[in-house]
Amino acid sequence: MASWVRAVVEAIHSSRAQAVIYLAGGASQALGWLLSVPGASGTVLEVVVPYSMASMAQLLGKMPLQFTSKQAAEDMALAAFNRALKLSGPGLQGLRSREEEDKVSSYFLLKAIADGCKVPATIQSDVQEPELPKESVEQFDEDQELQQVIDGQVCMKVYHFSDSMDKNFNRKIILPGSFNPLHDGHLRLLEVASSMCDDGLPCFEISAINADKPPLSIAEIKRRVEQFRKVGKNVIISNQPYFYKKAELFPGSAFVIGADTAARLVNPKYYGGDYNRMLEILLECKNTGTTFLVGGRNIEGVFKVLEDLDIPVELREMFISIPEEKFRMDISSTDIRKKQGP
């Protein structure tokens, strides 16, 4: 074992402090060393190894520009400190020995079994009832989970309606939209896009938060989700209306968009008129491994494909064209709603 590992853990333990430790993937061997030091169970609150890009993004709340960097290490340290503040109880450290902690946890386990069997539990006289921890797992129903997404307490809710166990769950092929209503063009577009990708889990995505409109209501979200349940397709409800935020939430994924959306993505108008700002934001998306599969769309009465757009040289490899011969359906949710009437 490295001597510095023992020194760190023993120093923390002797000061009666507690710690949360986040390890980079290459340092995972240190986990065994950390937990082998006597007193580690009273010192180490939690150890996390964010091995994948998605895990790191979820841990930090963003995608680092470079994983092996001073900034990434500082971000991990700050996240660990904040996590430790949540997990540790001020003034409660060192109140019991390891043997006493084992006794309390054993009685807690027996009490949980008794409660599950609906029989009374007798607590030994040397263990006080208040010492037994309360159950901390809280179950939420669908409405509560969706409200948490709307309020920004959680980043997404995923509905798995298709059998995709053979797919790579870390990488997704995502078709974002409002899907009001879902139509055959949407289904066909995601099918064609998925056939062009080597791997990835096909998903539709709806943002409950709109940049220019009020959030969707829970009832409206559930109504739209029901469309996907009926056709057996996965759908994600997120709270990120902007693509650069979606890229942080789903690193390494491919987003399926229309030529009209691609045109807006590279238009400085939507970045306060700042071309360099547009380039900076989209290059950050590129660093997460994001790609855009672009299908043809009618733009002001003219059918346009990716090749008709002026994509900056620095970004061109991010954008992949879906050939017109593979997909063209001149249909939109807006037209369908107009035909359906009020």
Side-chain angles (χ1 to χ4, degrees), residues 188-226:
R188 177 60 182 158
L189 179 56
L190 186 57
E191 180 184 340
V192 171
S194 299
S195 71
M196 294 175 59
C197 295
D198 294 334
D199 196 11
L201 180 68
C203 295
F204 294 89
E205 184 252 351
I206 300 172
S207 176
I209 306 299
N210 191 296
D212 306 311
K213 301 176 184 177
L216 295 177
S217 67
I218 291 175
E220 179 60 21
I221 294 173
K222 292 171 73 173
R223 183 187 71 79
R224 298 188 194 187
V225 166
E226 179 63 15

Side-chain angles (χ1 to χ4, degrees), residues 171 174 176 193 196-197 242-247 253-258 261-262 265-266 271 281-286 288-295 306 311 315-322:
R171 182 173 188 266
I174 301 173
M196 294 175 59
C197 295
Y242 299 109
F243 274 100
Y244 74 95
K245 286 295 185 181
K246 295 181 195 289
S253 294
F255 292 94
V256 186
I257 60 176
T261 301
L265 271 177
V266 297
Y271 303 84
I281 288 176
L282 291 181
L283 285 174
E284 287 179 1
C285 293
K286 182 180 178 181
T288 70
T290 295
T291 55
F292 295 101
L293 278 71
V294 183
L306 176 63
I311 305 295
L315 304 174
R316 286 179 185 170
E317 64 181 27
M318 289 178 66
F319 292 84
I320 302 168
S321 180
I322 299 176

Side-chain angles (χ1 to χ4, degrees), residues 56 60 63-73 75-76 287:
M56 180 67 84
L60 301 181
M63 179 60 64
L65 294 178
Q66 185 177 351
F67 283 82
T68 53
S69 66
K70 178 175 179 289
Q71 185 60 54
D75 290 341
M76 290 175 70
N287 288 336

Side-chain angles (χ1 to χ4, degrees), residues 263-278:
R264 289 194 296 272
L265 271 177
V266 297
N267 189 340
K269 169 186 173 182
Y270 298 98
Y271 303 84
D274 189 335
Y275 179 89
N276 290 328
R277 177 62 176 158
M278 175 272 292

Side-chain angles (χ1 to χ4, degrees), residues 13 16 18 39-43 89 91-108 123 126-134:
H13 182 61
R16 304 172 77 85
Q18 292 180 312
S41 61
T43 300
L92 297 181
Q93 293 92 352
L95 294 181
R96 288 189 288 261
S97 67
R98 173 64 179 269
E99 182 180 355
E100 290 168 335
E101 287 289 342
D102 286 347
K103 182 181 292 186
V104 171
S105 61
S106 297
Y107 282 131
F108 174 55
I123 306 300
D126 57 341
V127 177
Q128 301 300 315
E129 181 75 27
E131 288 185 282
L132 294 178
K134 304 263 185 228

Side-chain angles (χ1 to χ4, degrees), residues 130-275:
E131 288 185 282
L132 294 178
K134 304 263 185 228
E135 291 184 44
S136 60
V137 177
E138 185 175 356
Q139 299 295 326
F140 299 101
D141 61 28
E142 183 181 8
D143 286 11
Q144 290 173 317
E145 290 177 343
L146 289 173
Q147 190 62 55
Q148 289 173 341
V149 173
I150 295 170
D151 293 341
Q153 295 175 314
V154 296
C155 57
M156 73 182 95
K157 176 172 173 58
V158 183
Y159 291 86
H160 288 289
F161 292 136
S162 70
D163 184 12
S164 307
M165 298 305 293
D166 59 330
K167 299 292 185 180
N168 178 5
F169 276 65
N170 289 326
R171 182 173 188 266
K172 295 178 175 60
I173 305 163
I174 301 173
L175 175 53
S178 59
F179 307 110
N180 185 29
L182 175 69
H183 56 68
D184 289 342
H186 295 136
L187 298 172
R188 177 60 182 158
L189 179 56
L190 186 57
E191 180 184 340
V192 171
S194 299
S195 71
M196 294 175 59
C197 295
D198 294 334
D199 196 11
L201 180 68
C203 295
F204 294 89
E205 184 252 351
I206 300 172
S207 176
I209 306 299
N210 191 296
D212 306 311
K213 301 176 184 177
L216 295 177
S217 67
I218 291 175
E220 179 60 21
I221 294 173
K222 292 171 73 173
R223 183 187 71 79
R224 298 188 194 187
V225 166
E226 179 63 15
Q227 301 175 108
F228 298 94
R229 186 193 66 78
K230 288 180 178 178
V231 296
K233 301 298 181 182
N234 301 320
V235 62
I236 300 168
I237 306 300
S238 81
N239 50 22
Q240 300 296 347
Y242 299 109
F243 274 100
Y244 74 95
K245 286 295 185 181
K246 295 181 195 289
E248 291 178 359
L249 195 58
F250 307 107
S253 294
F255 292 94
V256 186
I257 60 176
D260 53 341
T261 301
R264 289 194 296 272
L265 271 177
V266 297
N267 189 340
K269 169 186 173 182
Y270 298 98
Y271 303 84
D274 189 335
Y275 179 89

